[in-house]
Amino acid sequence: MSLLDRPSGSDGGGAEGVAAVLLDGRGRVLWWSGAAGELVGEAAEDAAGRPVEDVLGTAAPPATVVRLPAAPDGGSLLVFRDPTPTEGRDRDRDLARSLLNQQRIGVAEFDTRLRPTRANAAMEALRPAGAGEGWLSELVECDSGTPVRDLLARVAESGAPTVGVDCGAGPVGSDPVLTLGCFPVGDEDGTPLGLAVVATEPTTRLRAHRRLTDAYRRAFEIGESLDVVHAARDLVELLVPGLGDLAAVDFPDDVLQGRDPTLGYPGFEASAPRRVAVKSADGAWPSAMVQPGERIPPVPDQASNAAVAVGVVLKADAAGVRAMLGDDPELVARVMPEHMHSTLGCPLYHRSRLFGYVSVWRTRTPEPFGEAEVRLLQDLCDRTAVALDNAYRYTREHRTALVLQHSLLPPAVTESAAAETSGIYLPASGSLSVGGDWFDALPLSSMRTGLVVGDVIGHGIQATATMARLRTAVQTLADLDLPPDELLTHLDDLVQRMQAEAEEPDAVGASCLFAVYDPVSRFCQMASAGHPAPGLLLPDGTTEFVPVVPGPPLGVGDNPFETCEVVLPPGSVLALYTDGLVDYDHDIGRGGEELLRNLRRFHAPSRSLESVGRDLIGCHPSPERPADDVTLLLARTRAVADEDMVHREYPADPAAVHDARADVDARLGAWGLEDLRFSTELIVSELVTNAIRYAGGPVGLRLIRGPVLVCEVSDPSNTQPRLRRALITDEGGRGIFLIAQLAARWGCRYGARGKTIWTEQPLHLTGLPA
């Protein structure tokens, strides 16, 4: 019995999978087979008399239409065939064959050892020109940089498929060339046979989405350096190829000169913009366009200026740009790239101040910029403007602190009878401001010299101000001829008082090393308050660290400082520094050893310390952008010759004053300093007389010839001499006053046994060379 012979209420027999519907001339159901009802899900009695479109809807499978002229009203017969495959048909084989024959879906198979075994024609078409058979395994994941071979190994090991992996030739973040899916392949028993990889080319929409997503992700990196030009370069690196093929950033003159930009848009002439950063997708910036460092030519169109003033994104095509430029061919060539399709421009505004202007061009892609790109550029420009404002404020504070810092430091190079010195200071770069590092070379009595280097906690104006107070205190205390350990003790008291006055006591502190070198005895005494030991280069080429024991940093208190004493032959070099010079990846020990090696390598007696210091700084891991302040003070010692010094001792006898004058007269005659005889004899007479009268003996007398003539008288008393103006009726009290008038400098220092009063007289007053 045929399908049409079955009654409407039957079970839908007939040929398996075949159903039929009889229609009248107006397309209404006359008869509905049981198979058709099961196929569509509608009973025959419910379908009769209804239009076939209402009954079948979208659920009907394909049908064959047979016209029936003999049927009532010229009806027709619809014959449906169930799409369910018939018995004996290999559905898996049909699916595999269809997949392998796809023209835009590449399929490759790998064996269990992850070696490529075969690929369909579509996969071969995706292979880059000149690539070998293993080209697919050499691709990398765009987001992580993981090689595809590692992806295949992971799928083979876990048995879990992976899909939607964007891969390219690298580096991380580059546009994908293929989107891959990978799954294991096995036989009917589940035995692994290898892997299959399915590859498709990303769509243009996917590529654009990835570029936008990557641009938003990289936007957080803008302004990390706190340098305005560096922020502009970060922005163009993000815009190309993220948005377009070329990009440029222009800054007004105020930003480049470090001045505070004016409120609102000052106009083109007043802003005087200059190009500071460019980027081209092919690596070569068009030679006809405005180059980095050049001024931007004025644009005559007022619409573009209005867009800058309002602060909105300006979008235009090539024809629109030419119209804005008045079709001036020279101006068009300067500001518009060849083959341009579209452009976006956006000002950099923050707090109603203009920090610059950004331009992006598309020359390869005819597709115009969409609203998503416009919003992205606006967001990027807003973020960059905030970064520029922060960088500008940092630059202003940094410049102020740097000027203050350099104004407080001594001359870089000094010369004295005790030593030749050279100091170098490099401020920190990056997010850190100027710190509180300092160095100093202080002239002390009797041709001695004081060397100091220190490092204040923190950075910025506050650290610089603290450094200034400490440096002034060191100069004052050093002028009192205090030994190094006592000087640091007084300095520690000062820091504790500063901590008590500060709102944040923990932010006040410092390390310091103070040394005194005597060119007569050739002894160098030093003490350290939490500061690294200086390096020492001896004349024979030996290098070592001075064995000074560091005490606690300044401000800790309740701990004594220890004095270290070493003998320095003439020509020895001391290297005092802060930890910024030797902090090699937080390994100060390694940096210190490197400093000693470089000191031995670069130093030569004929070279100036200034050039040696530059070479030492150049060995720093980042001399142009140090992470912390770098301070270096080099001192090459000298010595007073034995024939330029004489020492005598006298008993506590008034007659010894005559002997002292005679010894002075003889020595000055031997030195050819007859012009200083009168003043020196008077000074010695007064000092020796006072020592015998008030302190007792023995009385020591020492004369030193150098750039100045030093006269020292020592006695066992600790009484402090005072300068006072005697009355007319006073019989005494004029000795120190006379000494102060005759000597250029005078003072008193205390030792382990008594005190020493010293005077200095410049030799140039005698007409002799200093």
Side-chain angles (χ1 to χ4, degrees):
M1 182 180 295
S2 69
L3 178 65
L4 298 179
D5 294 335
R6 291 184 177 271
S8 62
S10 69
D11 59 359
E16 182 179 357
V18 178
V21 178
L22 181 63
L23 306 178
D24 62 12
R26 290 180 294 177
R28 292 178 298 184
V29 177
L30 297 176
W31 174 79
W32 188 276
S33 71
E38 294 177 0
L39 186 63
V40 181
E42 186 85 20
E45 54 271 19
D46 297 330
R50 296 168 54 192
V52 67
E53 293 85 357
D54 293 345
V55 178
L56 298 180
T58 59
T64 299
V65 181
V66 180
R67 295 296 178 182
L68 302 176
D73 300 326
S76 59
L77 179 67
L78 300 183
V79 180
F80 301 96
R81 180 166 295 276
D82 192 342
T84 304
T86 59
E87 288 186 7
R89 178 179 174 185
D90 192 340
R91 188 177 182 185
D92 293 340
R93 181 178 299 174
D94 295 340
L95 178 61
R97 182 183 300 108
S98 300
L99 178 61
L100 292 173
N101 290 334
Q102 293 295 317
Q103 296 182 355
R104 300 184 62 181
I105 300 178
V107 181
E109 187 176 2
F110 293 78
D111 61 18
T112 55
R113 300 177 64 181
L114 305 183
R115 295 175 301 185
T117 57
R118 61 175 177 169
N120 67 347
M123 183 65 82
E124 291 297 331
L126 295 174
R127 179 193 297 193
E133 291 187 359
W135 68 276
L136 194 59
S137 301
E138 296 173 358
L139 299 178
V140 297
E141 293 186 50
C142 294
D143 292 334
S144 64
T146 304
V148 169
R149 66 176 65 91
D150 294 346
L151 172 67
L152 300 179
R154 188 167 62 246
V155 173
E157 179 180 359
S158 65
T162 182
V163 295
V165 180
D166 294 328
C167 299
V172 176
S174 60
D175 281 348
V177 297
L178 293 177
T179 299
L180 303 182
C182 180
F183 54 89
V185 176
D187 59 12
E188 296 179 354
D189 299 329
T191 302
L193 299 178
L195 299 173
V197 174
V198 179
T200 56
E201 289 186 291
T203 62
T204 302
R205 183 176 181 181
L206 175 61
R207 293 178 185 271
H209 175 73
R210 282 190 56 84
R211 286 197 297 268
L212 293 178
T213 303
D214 183 64
Y216 275 111
R217 177 180 58 82
R218 294 174 56 195
F220 292 97
E221 303 173 4
I222 297 178
E224 287 184 347
S225 67
L226 289 178
D227 179 86
V228 292
V229 175
H230 198 283
R233 292 171 181 169
D234 288 342
L235 181 58
V236 296
E237 289 289 336
L238 191 152
L239 294 175
V240 177
L243 276 184
D245 304 311
L246 295 98
V249 177
D250 309 323
F251 280 170
D253 190 61
D254 286 340
V255 174
L256 292 174
Q257 298 299 326
R259 297 187 296 264
D260 194 1
T262 59
L263 291 172
Y265 179 52
F268 187 89
E269 293 296 333
S271 61
R274 189 182 297 271
R275 185 142 294 172
V276 294
V278 297
K279 178 69 182 295
S280 174
D282 59 10
W285 184 253
S287 59
M289 296 184 65
V290 179
Q291 301 297 309
E294 294 182 351
R295 290 196 176 277
I296 307 300
V299 178
D301 186 78
Q302 296 300 316
S304 59
N305 291 336
V308 176
V310 175
V312 298
V313 176
L314 179 66
K315 181 169 64 172
D317 56 12
V321 173
R322 291 191 184 93
M324 292 179 187
L325 301 178
D327 289 321
D328 184 343
E330 182 177 352
L331 189 58
V332 168
R334 293 284 287 163
V335 301
M336 175 180 166
E338 289 187 79
H339 313 297
M340 188 201 86
H341 296 289
S342 57
T343 181
L344 289 179
C346 183
L348 300 170
Y349 266 107
H350 183 65
R351 302 179 186 271
S352 301
R353 300 179 189 275
L354 178 66
F355 285 89
Y357 194 81
V358 180
S359 302
V360 186
W361 298 273
R362 281 183 175 174
T363 58
R364 301 176 179 178
T365 306
E367 181 182 0
F369 290 100
E371 289 303 316
E373 285 89 355
V374 172
R375 289 193 300 270
L376 172 62
L377 182 61
Q378 185 70 68
D379 291 343
L380 294 178
C381 289
D382 291 342
R383 183 181 295 275
T384 303
V386 173
L388 292 174
D389 182 60
N390 293 335
Y392 168 75
R393 294 174 184 273
Y394 161 78
T395 301
R396 181 172 56 183
E397 179 180 343
H398 186 271
R399 183 180 293 111
T400 302
L402 190 60
V403 171
L404 177 61
Q405 181 91 336
H406 281 291
S407 67
L408 295 173
L409 293 176
V413 177
T414 64
E415 295 278 349
S416 68
E420 167 197 358
T421 68
S422 175
I424 299 178
Y425 169 76
L426 294 180
S429 64
S431 60
L432 296 178
S433 180
V434 176
D437 288 15
W438 90 94
F439 65 89
D440 214 341
L442 309 172
L444 302 179
S445 63
S446 304
M447 291 189 293
R448 298 173 305 148
T449 188
L451 305 173
V452 59
V453 64
D455 187 357
V456 174
I457 293 176
H459 293 80
I461 297 294
Q462 183 61 45
T464 304
T466 302
M467 179 273 288
R469 295 180 65 180
L470 294 182
R471 178 172 181 257
T472 303
V474 170
Q475 292 176 337
T476 303
L477 295 171
D479 198 47
L480 297 177
D481 280 315
L482 297 176
D485 56 338
E486 292 187 24
L487 183 144
L488 292 182
T489 299
H490 288 289
L491 202 62
D492 181 72
D493 294 337
L494 172 62
V495 174
Q496 291 185 62
R497 289 196 297 272
M498 293 170 61
Q499 291 174 343
E501 298 169 357
E503 295 181 359
E504 299 180 4
D506 293 340
V508 179
S511 65
C512 182
L513 185 139
F514 182 74
V516 176
Y517 173 68
D518 187 344
V520 177
S521 66
R522 303 171 187 176
F523 284 159
C524 182
Q525 294 181 324
M526 65 182 66
S528 170
H531 207 82
L536 174 61
L537 171 65
L538 296 175
D540 61 1
T542 303
T543 57
E544 61 183 1
F545 288 104
V546 178
V548 61
V549 178
L554 298 175
V556 175
D558 300 329
N559 287 282
F561 299 100
E562 298 185 23
T563 298
C564 173
E565 186 174 87
V566 294
V567 178
L568 300 181
S572 301
V573 178
L574 274 174
L576 290 74
Y577 53 89
T578 56
D579 55 5
L581 178 65
V582 296
D583 190 2
Y584 285 25
D585 296 328
H586 306 289
D587 189 349
I588 295 180
R590 182 170 67 89
E593 295 297 333
E594 185 72 15
L595 172 64
L596 292 183
R597 285 192 295 270
N598 293 330
L599 184 61
R600 181 172 57 250
R601 178 161 61 104
F602 293 129
H603 179 265
S606 59
R607 294 194 66 192
S608 67
L609 287 184
E610 191 174 11
S611 61
V612 174
R614 286 195 298 266
D615 289 341
L616 293 176
I617 294 294
C619 293
H620 190 275
S622 53
E624 301 298 330
R625 303 180 62 83
D628 193 8
D629 290 8
V630 174
T631 303
L632 173 65
L633 176 62
L634 297 177
R636 185 157 50 200
T637 63
R638 296 167 176 167
V640 175
D642 294 339
E643 59 269 19
D644 290 332
M645 189 274 296
V646 62
H647 180 265
R648 296 284 188 270
E649 282 195 359
Y650 305 99
D653 184 352
V657 177
H658 176 270
D659 298 336
R661 285 199 300 266
D663 292 338
V664 169
D665 183 72
R667 177 56 59 178
L668 294 183
W671 285 344
L673 301 178
E674 288 84 358
D675 291 347
L676 293 179
R677 280 181 176 176
F678 174 77
S679 59
T680 307
E681 287 181 8
L682 182 56
I683 290 173
V684 170
S685 296
E686 289 293 336
L687 293 179
V688 172
T689 299
N690 288 343
I692 294 175
R693 178 179 300 175
Y694 301 110
V699 177
L701 171 64
R702 186 170 72 163
L703 297 177
I704 306 172
R705 182 180 64 169
V708 296
L709 176 63
V710 178
C711 177
E712 297 179 347
V713 174
S714 57
D715 60 58
S717 172
N718 289 323
T719 303
Q720 171 71 42
R722 288 191 307 115
L723 174 65
R724 67 185 182 89
R725 186 176 298 276
L727 300 177
I728 298 178
T729 56
D730 291 342
E731 295 182 0
R734 297 176 178 83
I736 298 298
F737 178 79
L738 290 175
I739 291 173
Q741 301 304 309
L742 295 172
R745 291 204 313 155
W746 75 279
C748 177
R749 66 175 180 267
Y750 296 91
R753 295 186 300 273
K755 68 177 182 296
T756 298
I757 301 177
W758 54 270
T759 65
E760 291 182 359
Q761 300 178 80
L763 295 189
H764 68 267
L765 296 179
T766 68
L768 299 176

